[in-house]
Amino acid sequence: MTHSPDVETTVSGDPLTATAIVRDVTSGARSAAEVARQSLEVVAEWEPKVQAFEFLDPALVVAQAQGVDRVAVKGPLAGVTLAVKDVIATKDMPTGHNTARYKGVQTGVDAACVDTLRAAGAIVLGKAVTTEFASTARGGKTRNPHDLTRTPGGSSSGSAAAVACGMAAVGLGTQTGGSTIRPASFNGIFGWKPTWNVISREGLKVYSLTCDTLGLYARDINDFDMLADVFDLDPCDVPQSLEGLRVGFCRTPMWEKAEAPMRAAMDAAALALKSAGAQVIEVELPDIFNGIAEAHGVILAREGRSAFLNEVRNTPDIGVQYRDLVSNARGITPESARAAYALADRCRASFDEIMGGFDVMMTPSSCGEAPEGLESTGDASLNSMWTLLQVPVVSAPGLTGPHGMPLGISFVARRYGDRKAIKVAGLAAPLFEQTGDDLT
Amino acid sequence: MTHSPDVETTVSGDPLTATAIVRDVTSGARSAAEVARQSLEVVAEWEPKVQAFEFLDPALVVAQAQGVDRVAVKGPLAGVTLAVKDVIATKDMPTGHNTARYKGVQTGVDAACVDTLRAAGAIVLGKAVTTEFASTARGGKTRNPHDLTRTPGGSSSGSAAAVACGMAAVGLGTQTGGSTIRPASFNGIFGWKPTWNVISREGLKVYSLTCDTLGLYARDINDFDMLADVFDLDPCDVPQSLEGLRVGFCRTPMWEKAEAPMRAAMDAAALALKSAGAQVIEVELPDIFNGIAEAHGVILAREGRSAFLNEVRNTPDIGVQYRDLVSNARGITPESARAAYALADRCRASFDEIMGGFDVMMTPSSCGEAPEGLESTGDASLNSMWTLLQVPVVSAPGLTGPHGMPLGISFVARRYGDRKAIKVAGLAAPLFEQTGDDLT
């Protein structure tokens, strides 16, 4: 059984990854306007089924592309199409947060990440569906391109789905719990949650300053290398092959949440890595990590209380989730908040030390396959630890579960080791793909 | 010699503190529109000399006030006038960051803090002068109301000066090093840097997520109580008098930067507190704190590198300071960044423990009196440690230096102990005022 959408080619057969677009636009093989028109063809085919976008104006897309074509010296992302999660500000398209108060609201300025990407020649295709304020697990309208009866995950639902079916080359999402990496797993694409704050979060809706991170999606791992260059990520020792690589097999303290298909996928991934010469080593985290899921919850509760105060004060009919956050319904005390921050700080220092013995860790990108229905976007239990640790995570696609749905495996590096996690995910994904094909 | 501007009364004699405004507008003694007109009279008198505002439209002020007057049930800040630092977004006034690229730019949405304050009935008087992006010590056009030949400090120059001469009741600033507390000292007003992230920083220009904090100014300490209520600060044990209070006398590892007048002011403040029954106890910080100024510098360099990337990419003639940040001219490595965060984390845990033995600490709000000239806004050396510790700091006015210029004394509490620091500053300021009078 295969659900895989034909994502690598347009109707006309030209590839729409960032790598292919930049190559062609720079060489003159295609203009950015042609790329835009090809992308809009894919949109015409997929958007009625998938509903990834909150706002998409074809005229605005073509106009941006024509602007790129007018520039003599092409930027490093010339013509690359972006699906921008609708909690990320854009100066020429409304930023709605999937909530009534901000419907149609124009921010007048781009988020810093969009500003940087546009300066490099990228084009905003449209604003992608988010769950409300990127802070709830209740689904939006978007469907999983691999199976329209299933969720694409969330909260970065639209960005992930838009990349999965080839409408956009690159998707911008956010992650506070598992909102970038989980949809990457569900949609069979690469997902990257960078080291905290190495890409500016200015212009993204705030939930938790400690955890909120810009996330990125692509179908070609080389696209992440290009993005890492544009965002000036730190250089680091990058392995050229999997041979001899020390990979930690990390179940996290939340392993009970991993469903059987994900456990099988982790085992299959470990075998594949070993067959390529990597050492896969079981990781036992120190006891202090047992408190990290609770600390993540406490920190989100404390920070969400401040973050949504203005929304609650100005929105009488706002959802009970926000009213509970702001009224501190969980009863988080200053003592418990300080303790949660202290535990997170100690885990970060401990993880830095542990990573002295590994190149990367591997860990599940989601609990299992994308759940059926659109009510829930799934469970972030296996992601939130990594978010609180502020470490880079790159999810590699290739494996599938019993329903033929994608399952992602995450590679985690030390803080600022983003390029290493990207490289390993790129080396691993073809092996996973092969393993997946063998299984079916 | 006295430079003190007559800040407590308008031309008509009505007080323009938040406490007085709310009392009168709620009782009907004055309308918000009357308050607005009185405030504009003070503006007409002082603004030509002080130049605190980047944008101020009297018609917009009166219209907001009339809106407040039309509301039947008055909010807790009905009619309170705000000077909003021009790195804080406002939906009806441009947000310019004192830089060419953003001149006249409208953001379409209010920063979260402004949104909350407006919901409580406050009125934005105008956008107050900031140094460029709130990230340089080079001065803007604003002058110190106590002596027009001197700086009001920065980067929250306009907000502090506007409150000092009575144009606004409350000032909104920001602090990444010492940008709120230092101007409070220089302008002889109360300044409050809250616990990190207990007031949302959404809609404030980002420099360093770890350090950036919204700051507040007022002339009446009771105004801070009202603001603490509106922003839903945590309750805490608040002393009713100074009797028996355990006050740490904290020189910080940067004491060499404290000029003779500030050292004398600290001694005078300690004497005054002791005479009121407080215990003033010398604090010796553990050795690890000796690295905290350097850690602050490393973290600002690492975070500023990401924060200003988009500005540098889109502004060919941007200042060398930003180009140096983005090109990592200081050569901050991942190792040194991780070490700086780890040191800051350990200092935070250590400070929490140390504060078990104290109610508050007292520490200088600035190195000395406001320097002459407008070139430099002064030195943040004595402030930055507290910013990185993310603890609440409230600066109390009352003392003066040899040139008759104000000198503030800061009271510091544990994280979330904002109300305690506010209370102690309120109890101390009248004693300082008396001490100051005795000295002259």
Side-chain angles (χ1 to χ4, degrees):
Chain A
M1 173 157 63
T2 174
H3 289 269
S4 184
D6 179 13
V7 296
E8 290 308 320
T9 57
T10 61
V11 178
S12 56
D14 288 313
L16 286 171
T17 62
T19 303
I21 291 170
V22 170
R23 183 193 60 216
D24 290 355
V25 171
T26 306
S27 72
R30 278 186 285 173
S31 68
E34 270 178 279
V35 169
R37 278 189 295 270
Q38 291 171 339
S39 302
L40 292 170
E41 285 171 17
V42 185
V43 169
E45 182 191 350
W46 279 97
E47 179 60 9
K49 292 178 280 195
V50 169
Q51 299 187 56
F53 287 100
E54 201 60 58
F55 179 94
L56 193 157
D57 176 353
L60 212 44
V61 177
V62 173
Q64 289 176 77
Q66 289 168 336
V68 170
D69 285 330
R70 277 193 298 271
V71 175
V73 181
K74 300 302 178 206
L77 296 176
V80 171
T81 51
L82 308 173
V84 178
K85 186 175 183 177
D86 202 22
V87 292
I88 300 175
T90 43
K91 66 180 173 186
D92 51 358
M93 302 177 190
T95 303
H97 306 286
N98 195 8
T99 199
R101 187 178 186 215
Y102 292 96
K103 199 167 170 61
V105 166
Q106 297 280 357
T107 60
V109 283
D110 279 330
C113 58
V114 174
D115 198 27
T116 297
L117 292 168
R118 290 209 218 234
I123 286 163
V124 179
L125 189 65
K127 299 305 287 285
V129 172
T130 175
T131 65
E132 188 179 34
F133 290 129
S135 67
T136 160
R138 283 189 307 277
K141 64 181 178 179
T142 308
R143 293 163 183 278
N144 192 312
H146 294 265
D147 178 346
L148 300 175
T149 69
R150 292 175 188 262
T151 178
S155 58
S156 308
S157 320
S159 301
V163 170
C165 61
M167 294 194 281
V170 168
L172 300 186
T174 63
Q175 177 155 321
T176 304
S179 285
T180 292
I181 296 300
R182 184 165 90 261
S185 183
F186 290 173
N187 290 278
I189 54 177
F190 290 102
W192 172 25
K193 180 193 82 66
T195 302
W196 179 79
N197 203 19
V198 296
I199 300 180
S200 174
R201 57 102 64 247
E202 189 170 277
L204 280 52
K205 182 70 188 169
V206 175
Y207 178 0
S208 159
L209 286 189
T210 301
C211 292
D212 296 349
T213 313
L214 180 81
L216 301 120
Y217 295 118
R219 295 186 305 281
D220 182 340
I221 194 70
N222 297 305
D223 295 5
F224 283 173
D225 289 328
M226 295 169 61
L227 291 162
D229 287 344
V230 166
F231 283 115
D232 186 33
L233 273 279
D234 289 279
C236 69
D237 266 349
V238 167
Q240 291 313 304
S241 83
L242 294 168
E243 181 75 42
L245 213 68
R246 292 179 62 86
V247 179
F249 188 102
C250 187
R251 292 185 162 79
T252 86
M254 305 300 285
W255 187 245
E256 69 195 47
K257 296 281 188 175
E259 298 159 11
M262 179 51 81
R263 293 179 188 218
M266 281 283 285
D267 288 339
L271 268 178
L273 294 172
K274 280 187 210 162
S275 73
Q279 302 176 57
V280 179
I281 305 143
E282 288 278 342
V283 177
E284 181 100 36
L285 294 172
D287 285 348
I288 187 178
F289 283 83
N290 294 332
I292 201 166
E294 170 65 12
H296 181 265
V298 169
I299 287 171
L300 259 59
R302 184 61 192 83
E303 299 193 354
R305 177 178 153 201
S306 314
F308 292 109
L309 177 69
N310 66 308
E311 306 299 352
V312 168
R313 292 280 168 80
N314 286 286
T315 318
D317 59 346
I318 200 166
V320 65
Q321 170 189 357
Y322 304 103
R323 278 183 277 127
D324 280 355
L325 265 175
V326 166
S327 68
N328 192 18
R330 280 193 56 181
I332 307 297
T333 61
E335 287 71 26
S336 58
R338 286 191 295 257
Y341 285 113
L343 186 135
D345 291 346
R346 285 165 59 203
C347 286
R348 253 172 243 135
S350 172
F351 190 74
D352 266 351
E353 232 173 83
I354 293 166
M355 284 305 288
F358 298 96
D359 289 292
V360 292
M361 294 219 180
M362 57 182 290
T363 196
S365 296
S366 60
C367 298
E369 295 174 287
E372 290 188 51
L374 303 185
E375 278 306 298
S376 162
T377 62
D379 184 337
S381 294
L382 289 162
N383 307 107
S384 62
M385 176 177 112
W386 309 108
T387 318
L388 187 52
L389 287 176
Q390 304 182 332
V391 291
V393 180
V394 178
S395 180
L399 296 167
T400 47
H403 300 94
M405 294 296 291
L407 288 169
I409 302 295
S410 282
F411 293 97
V412 179
R414 291 176 82 172
R415 282 178 285 175
Y416 309 108
D418 298 67
R419 290 177 188 271
K420 191 181 246 184
I422 290 169
K423 183 69 186 183
V424 175
L427 293 167
L431 301 179
F432 295 170
E433 191 82 43
Q434 186 57 43
T435 305
D437 288 350
D438 292 348
L439 290 174
T440 50
Chain B
M1 174 156 66
T2 175
H3 289 269
S4 185
D6 180 13
V7 296
E8 291 306 320
T9 56
T10 61
V11 179
S12 55
D14 287 312
L16 286 170
T17 63
T19 304
I21 291 170
V22 170
R23 183 193 60 215
D24 289 355
V25 170
T26 307
S27 73
R30 280 186 284 172
S31 68
E34 269 177 279
V35 169
R37 278 190 295 270
Q38 290 172 340
S39 301
L40 291 170
E41 286 171 16
V42 185
V43 169
E45 184 191 350
W46 279 95
E47 178 60 8
K49 291 177 282 193
V50 168
Q51 301 188 56
F53 287 99
E54 202 60 58
F55 179 94
L56 193 157
D57 176 353
L60 212 45
V61 176
V62 173
Q64 290 176 76
Q66 288 167 339
V68 170
D69 286 329
R70 278 192 297 272
V71 175
V73 181
K74 299 302 176 208
L77 295 177
V80 171
T81 51
L82 307 173
V84 178
K85 186 176 182 176
D86 202 24
V87 291
I88 301 175
T90 43
K91 66 180 174 188
D92 50 358
M93 302 175 191
T95 303
H97 305 286
N98 195 9
T99 200
R101 188 177 185 216
Y102 293 96
K103 198 166 171 60
V105 167
Q106 296 280 356
T107 59
V109 284
D110 280 331
C113 58
V114 174
D115 199 28
T116 297
L117 291 168
R118 290 210 217 235
I123 286 163
V124 178
L125 188 65
K127 299 305 286 287
V129 172
T130 176
T131 65
E132 188 179 33
F133 289 130
S135 66
T136 160
R138 283 190 306 278
K141 64 180 178 179
T142 308
R143 293 164 182 278
N144 192 312
H146 294 265
D147 178 347
L148 299 176
T149 70
R150 291 174 188 263
T151 179
S155 59
S156 308
S157 320
S159 300
V163 169
C165 61
M167 295 195 279
V170 168
L172 301 186
T174 63
Q175 178 155 321
T176 303
S179 285
T180 292
I181 296 300
R182 186 166 88 262
S185 183
F186 290 173
N187 289 278
I189 55 178
F190 290 103
W192 173 24
K193 180 193 81 69
T195 301
W196 180 79
N197 203 19
V198 296
I199 300 180
S200 173
R201 57 100 65 249
E202 189 169 277
L204 279 52
K205 181 70 188 169
V206 175
Y207 179 179
S208 159
L209 287 189
T210 301
C211 291
D212 296 348
T213 313
L214 180 81
L216 301 119
Y217 295 117
R219 294 185 306 279
D220 183 339
I221 194 70
N222 297 305
D223 295 5
F224 282 173
D225 290 327
M226 295 170 59
L227 291 162
D229 287 345
V230 166
F231 283 114
D232 187 31
L233 273 278
D234 289 280
C236 70
D237 266 349
V238 167
Q240 291 314 304
S241 83
L242 294 169
E243 180 75 42
L245 213 68
R246 291 178 63 85
V247 179
F249 187 102
C250 186
R251 290 184 163 80
T252 86
M254 304 298 286
W255 186 244
E256 69 195 48
K257 296 281 188 176
E259 298 159 11
M262 179 51 82
R263 295 178 187 218
M266 281 283 285
D267 288 338
L271 267 179
L273 295 172
K274 280 187 208 162
S275 73
Q279 302 175 59
V280 179
I281 306 144
E282 288 279 340
V283 177
E284 181 100 34
L285 294 172
D287 285 347
I288 188 179
F289 283 82
N290 294 334
I292 201 165
E294 171 65 13
H296 181 266
V298 170
I299 287 171
L300 259 58
R302 185 61 191 84
E303 300 192 353
R305 178 179 152 199
S306 315
F308 292 109
L309 178 68
N310 65 309
E311 306 299 352
V312 168
R313 292 281 168 79
N314 286 286
T315 317
D317 59 345
I318 201 166
V320 65
Q321 172 188 357
Y322 304 103
R323 280 184 276 129
D324 280 353
L325 266 175
V326 166
S327 69
N328 192 18
R330 279 194 57 180
I332 307 296
T333 62
E335 289 71 27
S336 59
R338 286 191 295 257
Y341 285 113
L343 185 136
D345 291 345
R346 286 165 59 205
C347 286
R348 254 172 240 133
S350 171
F351 191 74
D352 266 352
E353 232 173 82
I354 292 166
M355 284 305 289
F358 298 95
D359 289 290
V360 291
M361 293 218 181
M362 59 184 287
T363 197
S365 296
S366 59
C367 297
E369 294 175 288
E372 289 189 51
L374 304 185
E375 279 307 298
S376 162
T377 62
D379 185 338
S381 295
L382 289 161
N383 308 107
S384 62
M385 175 177 114
W386 309 108
T387 317
L388 186 53
L389 288 175
Q390 304 182 331
V391 290
V393 179
V394 178
S395 180
L399 295 168
T400 48
H403 301 94
M405 295 297 291
L407 288 169
I409 301 295
S410 282
F411 294 97
V412 179
R414 291 176 81 171
R415 281 179 285 176
Y416 309 108
D418 298 68
R419 289 177 189 271
K420 191 181 246 184
I422 291 169
K423 183 68 184 184
V424 174
L427 292 167
L431 301 180
F432 295 169
E433 192 81 46
Q434 185 58 44
T435 304
D437 289 350
D438 291 350
L439 288 175
T440 51

